[in-house]
Amino acid sequence: MTVQIKSKQRGITFFGLVFVGAVVGISGVIAAQVFPTVLEYQMVQKAVNKSQEGSSVVEVRNIFEKATAIDNITSIQAKDLEVTKEGDKVVVRFAYEREIHLVGPAWLTLKYAGRSK
């Protein structure tokens, strides 16, 4: 008498593979669209930190405009900055939104805000 051992197949089905591939693909497309906005936010933060070297509102905005021209920043302009003074230090704040069209009526809204150090 021979005893046959039953073995179960393990692994992912074709439909499971297609589903996982679709999720990874969609996530990749969204990440590819979000990544440039994150880089632009970092450039804005760098420009804001540099612009706080100015001693007046006009100087701060001029320094920021020069930095936006160099780094090709289009999401925010110098007029959108909030320039205040805390003690003897100039503080520059900013906030803006970026919208990314996904599909049909679906949009992804990213809100960025920050201040100088």
Side-chain angles (χ1 to χ4, degrees):
M1 244 170 104
T2 60
V3 178
Q4 291 189 4
I5 301 173
K6 291 185 180 180
S7 64
K8 292 187 176 182
Q9 290 184 353
R10 294 184 180 177
I12 190 167
T13 66
F14 176 72
F15 293 112
L17 183 65
V18 169
F19 178 75
V20 169
V23 169
V24 169
I26 291 169
S27 299
V29 168
I30 292 172
Q33 292 179 355
V34 169
F35 184 70
T37 68
V38 173
L39 288 179
E40 186 176 42
Y41 168 75
Q42 291 174 345
M43 288 187 292
V44 169
Q45 185 68 50
K46 185 177 93 175
V48 164
N49 288 334
K50 186 175 183 179
S51 69
Q52 84 177 35
E53 296 170 0
S55 59
S56 69
V57 175
V58 174
E59 283 183 38
V60 168
R61 290 189 174 157
N62 284 337
I63 293 170
F64 184 80
E65 283 179 358
K66 289 177 185 176
T68 58
I70 292 169
D71 291 333
N72 194 23
I73 298 170
T74 58
S75 294
I76 189 169
Q77 297 179 1
K79 66 179 181 176
D80 300 325
L81 299 177
E82 179 186 328
V83 182
T84 59
K85 224 173 188 182
E86 292 179 5
D88 61 342
K89 189 175 178 183
V90 174
V91 177
V92 183
R93 290 183 176 85
F94 65 93
Y96 65 95
E97 293 182 1
R98 288 291 305 260
E99 291 183 341
I100 298 172
H101 182 252
L102 297 176
V103 63
W107 290 80
L108 176 63
T109 302
L110 303 169
K111 296 182 180 184
Y112 292 108
R115 62 172 280 188
S116 60
K117 294 181 180 179

